[in-house]
Amino acid sequence: MLRHGPMIALVALAACTPSNKLMPLRGEDPQALALSGERVDWLERTGATEAVRALREELLDEEWGRAASMLGPATRTAVARRAAEVGKEPADVVAARGVPGLGLPGADDPVAALSARGRYTVAEPGPFDARRRSVRVVLRIEGRPEPIEVPVVFTEDGWQVELVRVLETAPVPAPAPGE
């Protein structure tokens, strides 16, 4: 027994050592799990900032259908309304840019602004609050003098990007039937 005493003490000590490594929860979303890897930037990434990053990448890749699916309810309603007016699909309306009713502080045409080439940063200002269901993310794109404030809302489909001036406290309208 004395012979194994130091080994048991060492194992017990290792098991009780604090760690800052994130441990995934059972049933966690795979995209959220990817953020818990051994990266320095994980502290700055949130669901809202990742939604803006993903939308920007789809716009840059001209994946209009996927980009349209990442839009929030108020934006989808405006895009669907415009699509019905011109007799096109919502993805085609997003591709054409300049959708009436869309606009953000710092960007009158948010689709064109978000798809501008160049390095960029996305940040959620203020302290992180996991209870928030809407937040304004600050997007800075190299070559643009002003940052773009992008509203992002959490819906039953996850974080979605609004390209309209949605107030954080205002209710978000439901999308039109068939969207």
Side-chain angles (χ1 to χ4, degrees):
M1 180 80 162
L2 291 176
R3 198 168 52 137
H4 297 293
M7 179 67 110
I8 293 172
L10 183 61
V11 169
L13 179 62
C16 296
T17 303
S19 171
N20 64 355
K21 189 172 185 178
L22 291 177
M23 299 303 292
L25 299 174
R26 183 179 304 159
E28 187 72 78
D29 178 52
Q31 291 176 335
L33 288 176
L35 295 176
S36 65
E38 300 273 332
R39 289 181 259 163
V40 175
D41 63 348
W42 69 269
L43 286 173
E44 296 176 7
R45 292 183 173 207
T46 66
T49 62
E50 289 306 297
V52 172
R53 284 180 200 277
L55 175 62
R56 180 168 160 73
E57 293 303 316
E58 297 301 342
L59 292 172
L60 287 169
D61 292 343
E62 298 183 355
E63 294 290 342
W64 309 117
R66 282 192 273 193
S69 73
M70 297 175 165
L71 300 175
T75 305
R76 282 197 318 269
T77 299
V79 168
R81 186 176 304 126
R82 181 63 178 163
E85 289 172 2
V86 297
K88 295 191 175 194
E89 293 295 316
D92 298 327
V93 171
V94 172
R97 299 174 170 84
V99 179
L102 300 189
L104 296 173
D108 291 333
D109 184 352
V111 174
L114 266 65
S115 60
R117 301 266 177 214
R119 293 188 320 198
Y120 67 97
T121 60
V122 183
E124 189 176 320
F128 177 73
D129 181 357
R131 296 171 296 165
R132 282 193 290 211
R133 294 296 176 240
S134 63
V135 65
R136 290 191 186 272
V137 171
V138 178
L139 172 65
R140 296 179 191 279
I141 302 173
E142 184 178 60
R144 284 187 60 91
E146 298 290 323
I148 304 169
E149 292 182 19
V150 185
V152 186
V153 296
F154 188 79
T155 68
E156 61 190 27
D157 296 324
W159 287 99
Q160 296 181 318
V161 180
E162 291 289 4
L163 301 180
V164 295
R165 290 174 171 90
V166 176
L167 297 175
E168 290 182 18
T169 57
V172 178
E179 289 185 58

